[in-house]
């Protein structure tokens, strides 16, 4: 119970801090967009090795004005039920939704390494994900910058009609993720999600919910002029489908998103 209280307090503080930032934003509320995610998963199981492939599309409006896509894949290794390591890469492209034929504004090649720690506490499940990213950009003006990034996500799952997440289970999923630029270090982004999911059977899982992504620019002091932290956020409808290629039998695998 002590671990449960500590994890819950940490998650609650992180969530409340994010909400406070959102309420004091200097910019007006952004219009709603939408995220669509499709994931193919090969769970580790007894052999411990697994993998995934994922495609994602985002739109500036609700189900319209598509401007962004991702394609990524990777391998994972289950050390045990509570610890998983992984390595992956992908391509990310951003467009002007008003002129898609002009090609991407920028493309990004990305690789990452990550560690996932799971906690199973009565009916609550917590996932701690630590990720380090290497990012290569190509902008339309011909520049090719390189950046690193560190991410931490705390995801909580609550099965509703069963004690664990298994076939025919409804569940609630809530997560908060922070994005850090290690060069600063600078707090670059916060991603907050709340939704409901359903695991149909050993293969199919669906989730729908709300995700808010808020980007931050650092404060600066130049030539006697102080510029405070500025940030802008956008709310989105989140829809995802996950298909698992094989069954883990009675083992429980948390239905977390790859992104």
């Amino acid at each position: 119970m002590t671990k449960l209280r500590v994890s819950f307090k940490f998650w609650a503080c992180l969530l409340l801090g994010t909400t406070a930032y959102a309420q004091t934003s200097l910019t007006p509320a952004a219009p709603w967009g939408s995220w669509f995610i499709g994931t193919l998963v090969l769970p580790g199981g007894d052999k411990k090795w697994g993998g995934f492939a994922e495609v994602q599309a985002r739109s500036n409006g609700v189900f319209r004005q598509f401007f962004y896509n991702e394609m990524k894949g990777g391998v994972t290794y289950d050390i045990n039920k509570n610890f998983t390591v992984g390595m992956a890469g992908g391509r990310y492209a951003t467009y002007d939704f008003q002129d898609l034929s002009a090609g991407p504004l920028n493309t990004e090649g990305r690789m990452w390494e990550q560690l996932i720690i799971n906690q199973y506490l009565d009916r609550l499940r917590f996932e701690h994900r630590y990720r380090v990213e290497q990012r290569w950009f190509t902008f339309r003006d011909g520049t090719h910058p390189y950046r690193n990034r560190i991410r931490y996500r705390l995801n909580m799952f609550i099965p509703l009609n069963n004690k664990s997440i298994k076939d025919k289970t409804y569940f609630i999923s809530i997560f908060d993720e922070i994005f850090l630029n290690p060069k600063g270090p600078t707090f670059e982004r916060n991603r907050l999600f709340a939704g409901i999911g359903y695991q149909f059977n050993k293969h199919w899982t669906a989730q729908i919910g709300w995700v808010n992504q808020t980007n931050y620019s650092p404060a600066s002091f130049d030539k006697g002029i102080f510029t405070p932290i500025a940030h802008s956020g956008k709310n989105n409808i989140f829809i995802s489908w996950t298909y698992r290629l094989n069954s883990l039998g009675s083992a429980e695998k948390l239905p977390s998103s790859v992104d």
Side-chain angles (χ1 to χ4, degrees):
M1 287 300 294
T2 300
K3 290 183 178 180
L4 174 60
R5 287 195 296 267
V6 171
S7 296
F8 186 78
K9 286 180 179 179
F10 178 79
W11 176 88
C13 289
L14 188 60
L15 176 60
L16 289 174
T18 303
T19 304
Y21 272 119
Q23 291 174 342
T24 58
S25 175
L26 300 177
T27 58
W32 282 73
S34 46
W35 291 16
F36 304 92
I37 301 175
T39 309
L40 179 69
V41 178
L42 179 64
D46 295 335
K47 294 184 179 180
K48 297 183 179 294
W49 287 100
F52 70 90
E54 183 177 284
V55 294
Q56 183 175 149
R58 300 180 189 175
S59 66
N60 185 61
V62 178
F63 311 138
R64 61 188 180 88
Q65 299 177 343
F66 288 92
F67 74 97
Y68 177 88
N69 64 66
E70 301 179 1
M71 294 180 290
K72 50 187 179 284
V75 295
T76 60
Y77 182 78
D78 294 336
I79 299 172
N80 54 39
K81 180 181 178 181
N82 300 101
F83 295 89
T84 299
V85 293
M87 183 175 182
R91 180 186 184 274
Y92 305 71
T94 302
Y95 297 79
D96 178 356
F97 67 84
Q98 300 177 90
D99 189 11
L100 297 177
S101 62
L105 296 170
N106 72 75
T107 59
E108 176 188 347
R110 184 186 306 174
M111 292 186 64
W112 72 83
E113 304 78 42
Q114 69 181 25
L115 168 67
I116 293 176
I117 302 174
N118 295 320
Q119 291 178 288
Y120 299 85
L121 306 173
D122 194 28
R123 293 181 71 96
L124 298 181
R125 281 89 174 95
F126 291 93
E127 178 195 72
H128 305 264
R129 190 181 76 181
Y130 305 85
R131 179 181 290 182
V132 179
E133 296 178 333
Q134 301 82 47
R135 311 169 69 201
W136 294 267
F137 292 87
T138 299
F139 286 92
R140 187 180 286 181
D141 62 5
T143 57
H144 302 274
Y146 170 80
R147 300 171 188 168
N148 292 314
R149 189 165 63 184
I150 299 172
R151 297 166 59 170
Y152 168 70
R153 185 178 75 185
L154 177 57
N155 202 157
M156 181 176 70
F157 299 93
I158 308 173
L160 299 176
N161 58 322
N162 291 303
K163 291 186 177 180
S164 62
I165 300 176
K166 55 184 180 180
D167 293 359
K168 300 180 181 179
T169 300
Y170 290 96
F171 60 88
I172 292 172
S173 175
I174 303 172
F175 73 70
D176 192 271
E177 183 171 22
I178 59 174
F179 297 68
L180 302 174
N181 180 348
K183 189 175 181 179
T186 302
F187 181 50
E188 288 188 342
R189 174 178 291 172
N190 194 89
R191 184 179 291 171
L192 179 63
F193 169 82
I196 187 167
Y198 183 70
Q199 183 166 314
F200 295 88
N201 51 42
K202 63 184 180 181
H203 296 298
W204 288 102
T205 302
Q207 292 190 62
I208 184 169
W210 158 82
V211 60
N212 174 274
Q213 183 161 279
T214 301
N215 296 314
Y216 296 81
S217 61
S220 63
F221 187 80
D222 184 40
K223 297 180 181 180
I225 300 176
F226 174 72
T227 303
I229 295 174
H231 59 285
S232 61
K234 186 178 181 68
N235 295 311
N236 301 273
I237 295 173
F238 177 100
I239 300 173
S240 75
W241 282 93
T242 300
Y243 181 80
R244 297 187 182 276
L245 285 176
N246 67 352
S247 172
L248 290 175
S250 61
E252 181 181 8
K253 197 73 173 179
L254 298 182
S256 58
S257 62
V258 174
D259 185 56

